[in-house]
Amino acid sequence: MSLSMYQAAIPPLLRALNNLSAILDKTLLNAESRHFDAAVLLQARLAPDMFPFIRQVQIVTDTAKGCGARLAGVEVPSYPDTETSFDELQQRLAKTISFLQGLPPAQFDGSEARDIVMKFPNQTLNFTGQDYLQFFVLPNFYFHLTTAYDILRHNGVPLGKADYLGGG
């Protein structure tokens, strides 16, 4: 039995999004126990030329919903990037999770060969569905997820590998 595009994309994205949600909860509990306002972490960065934490989470959700939509052949939902709190980030994660869960696996059939075109202000990227998933989505998704995790870890949130990988 071969691995379907749905199986290769959606379960791993959902697991990581749920893990990130749990990490946000753990961050708030840690801030409360250390008596500081967790909101200061929203603009934290690893380096001056990197996006802050809040933008990392936005990109994680954008990458996940874009992947699901493009591979399923549906319109990519638009989110306005207006979050200013952990609660609003949790809402964004929940909305993304719900969107992905609502995509029928059969809708991904044949998507490995589907033409995926991404237009940016300075370039256009063309992929097959399989190349899009393997060489664009997954590396970008995990880069921004890891960066969000690293920002929190760098700022003293007691996170470990088990938080990142999640439960079985």
Side-chain angles (χ1 to χ4, degrees), residues 95-107:
K95 186 168 39 171
T96 305
I97 290 165
S98 178
F99 171 72
L100 293 176
Q101 289 173 331
L103 295 171
Q107 216 160 322

Side-chain angles (χ1 to χ4, degrees), residues 2 9 41 47 92 94 98 125 131 133 146 160 165:
S2 63
L41 297 173
R92 185 181 180 113
S98 178
L125 301 176
D131 285 348
L133 175 62
T146 300
L165 296 176

Side-chain angles (χ1 to χ4, degrees), residues 67-122:
C67 174
R70 289 183 184 99
L71 292 179
V74 300
E75 184 80 21
V76 178
S78 177
Y79 299 172
D81 296 336
T82 56
E83 293 81 16
T84 60
S85 68
F86 276 87
D87 183 55
E88 290 174 351
L89 288 176
Q90 286 285 26
Q91 291 172 32
R92 185 181 180 113
L93 283 163
K95 186 168 39 171
T96 305
I97 290 165
S98 178
F99 171 72
L100 293 176
Q101 289 173 331
L103 295 171
Q107 216 160 322
F108 289 71
D109 291 351
S111 66
E112 63 276 0
R114 180 174 288 137
D115 289 330
I116 306 290
V117 179
M118 299 183 65
K119 295 183 181 196
F120 298 98
N122 297 322

